[in-house]
Amino acid sequence: MPQDDELNHRERATLRAVAEGRAEISHSCEPDLFIDGLACCDQATAHKLARFGLLAPAREGTPGELVPAVLTPTGRAALGAAAVPSLAA
């Protein structure tokens, strides 16, 4: 994810759901995300987070197969940084 981009509320909430083990992701070039068994209401956000390498499938699978989603090391770092309040306020 580019350094000057900050995660918005929806992106942080999506990453938290993945971190809590509540998400599944489809194996695809533009993976779909499912949270608590339901399709994520903002697939554009899911695609963006996957494209930036913040979340990924937990294991290999066949095209279209749903597998658990996990945060990547970059995703964990981005979520951790987003949780720290700004000192510039």
Side-chain angles (χ1 to χ4, degrees):
M1 184 164 221
Q3 291 287 0
D4 57 353
D5 281 352
E6 292 185 17
L7 295 173
N8 65 38
H9 176 73
R10 185 172 291 182
E11 292 163 342
R12 287 190 309 271
T14 301
L15 290 178
R16 280 193 304 271
V18 172
E20 293 167 359
R22 299 173 34 220
E24 293 179 299
I25 192 168
S26 65
H27 274 280
S28 172
C29 60
E30 285 287 341
D32 291 325
L33 192 67
F34 295 79
I35 299 173
D36 296 332
L38 302 172
C40 178
C41 68
D42 186 354
Q43 290 298 332
T45 290
H47 295 165
K48 177 182 174 182
L49 295 173
R51 194 170 37 254
F52 283 133
L54 302 177
L55 56 89
R59 61 175 173 78
E60 293 296 318
T62 60
E65 180 182 3
L66 289 180
V67 299
V70 294
L71 292 183
T72 64
T74 304
R76 285 191 299 275
L79 187 57
V84 177
S86 173
L87 299 176

